[in-house]
């Protein structure tokens, strides 16, 4: 039985066999997987179809940042595979977000998420690329742009979930990676991380957890800890 699709496990593997082994270990405990560029490139789209065929939801994290025509084509390809979510960079602007939203219309199960600011970025990283505002301000600006373009939701860090829920209202999806296990070292997420409980309490609709589960000695126990906060 698949019992939770709000906690998404990121299958960040270079090898299809490793990804399939993890899916087998989690069994019915995980209903929703994220496949990113590493695994998609290494394993090919067949894995997406296989997981969808087995009843899982698949968040295809393509992080699209291209000309609108190419973004639309990639979104249609994701929809044809049966993906439930696909990401586009909000920093690419309204043109590419609107192209993604238009392309997704023929796939009722596909939701377009706008990636605001990756969770590892700090204010000084933004300053380096010529953006002189805080991560919060930039996330908010991009989230408003995404909502205006018709995106179904945004990807942001747990730290911004509350702010975004307040501004966007109850409907849009707020998906937060940068999730750490209770008591664990935040590692590279340190700048803008949080636990799943904190993210959900702040208004996240979904959380994404990767290595905290996939590299754990007991991935099923780790997933339970992510959910329970214990
Ligand atoms: O760090 P973890 O393995 O939990 O990462 C899971 C997902 O979160 C990754 O696939 C990546 O897309 C996203 N992530 C992020 N910012 C980071 C690290 C990971 O958005 N600093």
């Amino acid at each position: 039985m698949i019992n939770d699709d709000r906690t998404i496990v990121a299958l960040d593997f270079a090898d299809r066999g490793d990804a399939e082994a993890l899916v087998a270990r989690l069994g019915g405990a995980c209903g929703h997987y994220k496949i990113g560029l590493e695994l998609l490139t290494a394993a090919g789209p067949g894995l997406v179809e296989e997981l969808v065929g087995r009843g899982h939801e698949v968040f295809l994290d393509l992080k699209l940042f291209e000309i609108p025509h190419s973004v639309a084509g990639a979104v249609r390809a994701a929809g044809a595979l049966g993906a439930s979510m696909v990401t586009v960079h909000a920093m690419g602007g309204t043109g590419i977000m609107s192209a993604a939203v238009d392309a997704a219309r023929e796939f009722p199960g596909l939701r377009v998420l706008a990636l605001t600011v990756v969770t590892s970025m700090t204010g000084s990283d933004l300053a380096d690329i010529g953006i002189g505002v805080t991560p919060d301000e930039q996330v908010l600006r991009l989230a408003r742009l995404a909502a205006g373009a018709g995106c179904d939701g945004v990807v942001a860090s747990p730290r911004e979930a509350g702010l975004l829920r307040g501004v966007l209202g109850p409907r849009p999806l707020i998906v937060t990676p940068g999730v750490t296990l209770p008591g664990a070292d935040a590692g590279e997420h340190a700048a803008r991380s949080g636990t799943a409980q904190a993210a959900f309490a702040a208004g996240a609709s979904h959380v994404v957890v990767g290595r905290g589960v996939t590299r754990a000695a007991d991935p099923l126990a780790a997933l339970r800890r992510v959910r329970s906060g214990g």
Side-chain angles (χ1 to χ4, degrees):
M1 184 188 73
I2 291 172
N3 60 18
D4 179 12
D5 69 352
R6 300 204 314 148
T7 303
I8 303 170
V9 173
L11 293 174
D12 292 331
F13 291 106
D15 181 83
R16 179 171 178 158
D18 290 341
E20 287 176 327
L22 193 275
V23 171
R25 285 191 78 170
L26 294 182
C30 181
H32 207 156
Y33 289 100
K34 180 168 91 71
I35 293 182
L37 297 174
E38 179 185 15
L39 185 59
L40 183 68
T41 306
L47 179 61
V48 179
E49 292 173 304
E50 183 191 314
L51 291 177
V52 170
R54 285 203 248 150
H56 296 289
E57 290 193 62
V58 175
F59 168 7
L60 208 45
D61 193 11
L62 299 181
K63 294 187 167 72
L64 298 167
F65 198 146
E66 249 283 10
I67 60 168
H69 182 263
S70 300
V71 166
V75 168
R76 279 194 294 274
L81 289 175
S84 63
M85 296 174 174
V86 66
T87 40
V88 58
H89 267 285
M91 279 206 216
T94 299
I96 72 168
M97 288 192 280
S98 298
V101 169
D102 286 345
R105 284 192 215 288
E106 63 182 280
F107 305 97
L110 179 62
R111 290 159 290 182
V112 174
L113 303 177
L115 175 61
T116 57
V117 180
V118 293
T119 61
S120 57
M121 283 188 100
T122 63
S124 83
D125 294 319
L126 289 178
D128 286 346
I129 56 167
I131 296 170
V133 296
T134 65
D136 276 9
E137 288 171 310
Q138 181 69 356
V139 167
L140 210 53
R141 181 189 188 103
L142 293 175
R144 287 192 170 115
L145 207 60
C151 290
D152 298 290
V154 295
V155 180
S157 88
R159 299 275 173 97
E160 290 110 28
L163 181 69
L164 288 172
R165 185 54 76 202
V167 169
L168 298 177
R171 266 193 61 165
L173 303 179
I174 298 176
V175 180
T176 67
V179 160
T180 52
L181 264 71
D185 179 4
E188 67 183 323
H189 292 307
R192 287 158 58 229
S193 65
T195 64
Q197 275 64 38
F200 283 133
S205 59
H206 298 76
V207 300
V208 176
V209 60
R211 289 161 294 180
V213 166
T214 60
R215 305 298 196 265
D218 184 343
L220 191 52
L223 180 59
R224 290 195 176 120
R225 283 189 61 221
V226 169
R227 288 190 181 133
S228 70

